[in-house]
């Protein structure tokens, strides 16, 4: 029977009345008629976080009526950032980690963070109370120096106490800390060391130092103390391959006179006597010029040299039990002169040169492992005549020293011979990442060293070290790498220039830019 009045709308109404049509509002992430409901809790319910640090809590979901993924969000205010892992909380899981970061440079505060979980149209909240706290910064002046002016910008400067200790409370990181101290010959200069953007609570800061007459140096205006040393080589090795024989201070000879005798003049500063050992090392060389096979090593018993008095010290060589290899390729800075590469052997407090070359960038050498002498180091330096870069790699085992020399900073602002430069004038440069930069400014009797990972800085304006007026000044930028965090500038281990005498610790690089001048108003 044809019923013409029974249209589609009436048909749907009739079927719904009979319970035959499914709900079309089902959430796409589930499989039930409604999105799963849930409860949201956080533990702990409160955190105390130092500014510029993080704290963690756990979000827990208790689902009812389904197993949908729960998406998390947070209302944290301006002083905090919140991250969840995982997010969303997937089906089959009930927890997520919440990491709260207290933003650096913001004052201490107490904030209720609202954490919201969402499944479809269902929303539930949990509250996490977060208190951010300032730091107490307790450090020392390097060298345990007492009586040094130490300040944190925004706070009154203090004087370091016993052991160089100092302390500041209620510090908002990142903070800038500085030292002001006499420096130079008889303390006739003032040196400022300024560490920008630190967050550590235990800084070790450097301060300027004074010195008197150059009594420890010789050769220019003060004669060096010398002694004629001679002796006979015996034991392992032969009388034909190269031999390096050195007094512990470094004076050496590389040839044998006659069959097995040697003689040279040992120099040891300005002291009337020198106590130490005589060392000898014999080896063959590779085609590269680097050491190859070590034939023998000798170290004399402790001896005393007296100024102007000849001394006979014989050396009995023994076989070298262990050696290592160093190899690799050095990539130079574009436009720089051919790099100079050197291999050094420590001999007590002295240094023995095993290999030097500037005709290749390929490293191919062996080095001895001598327990009674000390360590080894591989050193590279290069320059364009104004800027320079240096790299040192302490060697303890076979090593690949393939690396790129670090590019020195390129100075930008102020231009050379700029005028009317003040403490508000920006100093800008370009330098690679992973470098702590040291802006060095010399203005007459005042010297400023500013440590930063940024590519710009200002001369610090400090009551104890004002910028001299109408003064001719100079500036440059040194670099220390690898360092991604400026906190390394105030670490217990001081930033170090890469030097030939670095026989321990990690490989590191240092650079020095060219120099520019300016005048103050």
């Amino acid at each position: 029977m044809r019923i013409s009045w029974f249209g589609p709308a009436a048909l749907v109404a009739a079927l719904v009345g009979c319970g035959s049509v499914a709900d079309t509002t089902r959430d796409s992430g589930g499989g039930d008629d409604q999105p799963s409901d849930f409860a949201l809790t956080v533990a702990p319910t409160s955190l105390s976080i130092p500014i510029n640090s993080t704290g963690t809590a756990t979000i827990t979901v208790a689902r009812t009526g389904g197993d949908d993924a729960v998406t998390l969000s947070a209302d944290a205010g301006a002083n905090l950032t919140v991250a969840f892992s995982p997010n969303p909380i997937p089906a089959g899981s009930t927890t997520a980690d919440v990491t709260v970061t207290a933003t650096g440079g913001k004052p201490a505060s107490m904030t209720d963070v609202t954490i919201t979980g969402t499944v479809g149209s269902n929303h539930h909240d949990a509250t996490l109370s977060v208190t951010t706290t300032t730091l107490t910064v307790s450090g020392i002046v390097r060298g345990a120096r007492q009586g040094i002016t130490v300040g944190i910008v925004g706070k009154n400067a203090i004087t370091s106490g016993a052991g160089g200790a100092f302390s500041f409370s209620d510090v908002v990181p990142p903070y800038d800390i500085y030292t002001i101290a006499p420096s130079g010959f008889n303390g006739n200069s003032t040196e400022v060391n300024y560490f920008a953007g630190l967050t550590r609570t235990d800084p070790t800061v450097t301060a300027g130092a004074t010195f008197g007459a150059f009594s420890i140096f010789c050769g220019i205006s003060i004669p060096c103390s010398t002694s004629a040393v001679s002796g006979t080589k015996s034991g392992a090795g032969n009388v034909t391959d190269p031999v390096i024989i050195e007094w512990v201070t470094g004076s050496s000879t590389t040839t044998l006179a006659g069959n097995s005798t040697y003689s040279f003049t040992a120099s040891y500063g300005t002291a009337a006597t020198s106590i130490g050992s005589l060392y000898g090392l014999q080896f063959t060389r590779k085609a590269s010029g680097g050491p190859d096979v070590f034939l023998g090593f000798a170290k004399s018993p402790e001896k005393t040299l007296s100024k102007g008095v000849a001394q006979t010290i014989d050396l009995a060589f023994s076989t070298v039990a262990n050696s290592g290899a160093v190899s690799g390729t050095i990539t130079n800075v574009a436009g720089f002169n051919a790099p100079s590469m050197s291999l050094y052997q420590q001999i007590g407090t002295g240094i023995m040169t095993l290999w030097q070359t500037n005709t290749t960038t390929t490293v191919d050498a062996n080095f001895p492992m001598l327990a009674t002498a000390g360590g080894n180091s591989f050193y590279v330096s290069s320059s364009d005549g104004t800027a320079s870069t240096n790299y040192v790699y302490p060697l303890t085992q076979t090593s690949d020293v393939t690396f790129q020399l670090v590019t020195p900073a390129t100075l930008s602002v102020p231009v050379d011979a700029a005028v009317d430069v003040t403490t508000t004038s920006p100093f800008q440069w370009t330098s690679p990442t992973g470098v702590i930069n040291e802006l060095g400014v010399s203005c007459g009797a005042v010297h400023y060293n500013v440590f930063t990972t940024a590519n710009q800085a200002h001369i610090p304006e400090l009551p104890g070290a004002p910028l001299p007026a109408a003064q001719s000044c100079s500036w440059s930028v040194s670099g220390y790498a690898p360092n991604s965090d400026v906190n390394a500038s105030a670490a217990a281990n001081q930033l170090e220039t890469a030097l030939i005498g670095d026989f321990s610790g990690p490989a590191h690089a240092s650079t020095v830019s060219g120099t520019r001048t300016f005048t103050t108003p």
Side-chain angles (χ1 to χ4, degrees):
M1 178 176 65
R2 184 171 182 265
I3 306 175
S4 59
W5 53 267
F6 201 91
L11 177 62
V12 170
L15 291 176
V16 169
C18 296
S20 303
V21 175
D23 182 4
T24 60
T25 63
R26 183 191 310 171
D27 183 72
S28 60
D32 302 319
D33 290 344
Q34 295 290 336
S36 58
D37 203 1
F38 60 94
L40 197 67
T41 57
V42 60
T45 58
S46 63
L47 293 173
S48 180
I49 306 173
I51 296 169
N52 210 68
S53 299
T54 61
T56 58
T58 301
I59 300 294
T60 300
V61 173
R63 296 180 179 89
T64 58
D67 195 24
D68 296 291
V70 178
T71 300
L72 301 172
S73 60
D75 181 3
N79 288 3
L80 305 172
T81 59
V82 180
F84 302 100
S85 180
N87 190 21
I89 300 175
S93 295
T94 58
T95 62
D97 294 329
V98 54
T99 300
V100 182
T101 301
T103 306
K106 301 292 185 179
S109 63
M110 185 171 66
T111 305
D112 285 338
V113 177
T114 301
I115 299 172
T116 301
T118 302
V119 177
S121 60
N122 290 335
H123 307 273
H124 293 287
D125 296 336
T127 301
L128 175 63
S129 180
V130 179
T131 300
T132 62
T133 60
T134 55
L135 305 181
T136 295
V137 175
S138 298
I140 61 171
V141 176
R142 199 175 306 281
R145 296 171 59 196
Q146 187 173 353
I148 300 297
T149 298
V150 183
I152 286 181
V153 173
K155 295 185 173 295
N156 293 329
I158 60 176
T159 300
S160 61
F166 60 84
S167 184
F168 295 88
S169 60
D170 197 28
V171 176
V172 175
Y175 62 89
D176 295 355
I177 190 170
Y178 61 88
T179 63
I180 304 175
S183 66
F185 181 69
N186 290 333
N188 58 1
S189 299
T190 299
E191 181 175 311
V192 174
N193 285 277
Y194 190 98
F195 305 83
L198 300 188
T199 59
R200 65 187 309 147
T201 59
D202 60 343
T204 299
V205 293
T206 302
T210 63
F211 54 85
F214 293 93
S215 59
I216 62 171
F217 300 100
C218 65
I220 300 176
S221 59
I222 302 175
C224 293
S225 296
T226 60
S227 296
V229 178
S230 60
T232 301
K233 172 188 178 299
S234 63
N238 54 51
V239 296
T240 57
D241 285 304
V243 177
I244 298 176
I245 298 174
E246 292 196 3
W247 182 243
V248 69
T249 54
S251 298
S252 67
T253 180
T254 57
T255 60
L256 291 175
N259 290 327
S260 59
T261 61
Y262 50 85
S263 62
F264 67 99
T265 299
S267 177
Y268 42 91
T270 61
T273 61
S274 177
I275 301 174
S277 295
L278 187 68
Y279 292 82
L281 183 65
Q282 187 174 36
F283 52 89
T284 63
R285 292 193 181 275
K286 295 174 173 284
S288 66
D292 189 7
V293 178
F294 297 95
L295 305 175
F297 169 72
K299 176 185 177 182
S300 75
E302 192 171 83
K303 301 288 185 179
T304 300
L305 300 184
S306 298
K307 182 178 180 179
V309 178
Q311 176 73 281
T312 299
I313 306 176
D314 296 327
L315 289 177
F317 281 61
S318 57
T319 57
V320 177
N322 297 302
S323 64
V326 56
S327 61
T329 302
I330 310 303
T331 301
N332 198 11
V333 177
F336 274 41
N337 300 324
S340 173
M341 305 191 305
S342 304
L343 181 64
Y344 296 101
Q345 168 69 55
Q346 184 179 15
I347 50 170
T349 59
I351 298 173
M352 179 183 286
T353 304
L354 304 184
W355 179 42
Q356 285 185 323
T357 181
N358 62 357
T359 61
T360 181
T361 56
T362 299
V363 185
D364 180 20
N366 294 332
F367 59 92
M369 295 182 179
L370 305 171
T372 58
N376 301 87
S377 68
F378 175 70
Y379 176 79
V380 185
S381 64
S382 186
S383 170
D384 67 355
T386 57
S388 63
T389 181
N390 308 279
Y391 184 96
V392 64
Y393 196 119
L395 302 169
T396 58
Q397 57 187 359
T398 296
S399 301
D400 181 352
V401 293
T402 297
F403 60 83
Q404 163 79 57
L405 284 170
V406 178
T407 302
T410 300
L411 306 186
S412 176
V413 175
V415 297
D416 196 23
V419 297
D420 294 334
V421 173
T422 70
T423 55
T424 63
S425 301
F427 286 75
Q428 298 176 346
W429 60 89
T430 58
S431 62
T433 58
V435 175
I436 290 179
N437 299 299
E438 178 188 357
L439 168 64
V441 179
S442 179
C443 280
V446 184
H447 307 276
Y448 305 89
N449 303 310
V450 180
F451 298 91
T452 177
T453 52
N455 282 344
Q456 66 174 14
H458 292 79
I459 298 173
E461 185 173 0
L462 303 171
L467 183 64
Q471 180 68 56
S472 296
C473 308
S474 63
W475 69 286
S476 62
V477 175
S478 299
Y480 305 88
N483 290 292
S484 59
D485 189 341
V486 74
N487 282 324
S489 66
N493 295 323
Q494 186 176 9
L495 293 177
E496 292 185 349
T497 301
L499 299 171
I500 63 175
D502 290 341
F503 293 106
S504 61
H508 60 280
S510 62
T511 64
V512 180
S513 73
T515 300
R516 287 185 177 179
T517 64
F518 66 90
T519 56
T520 60

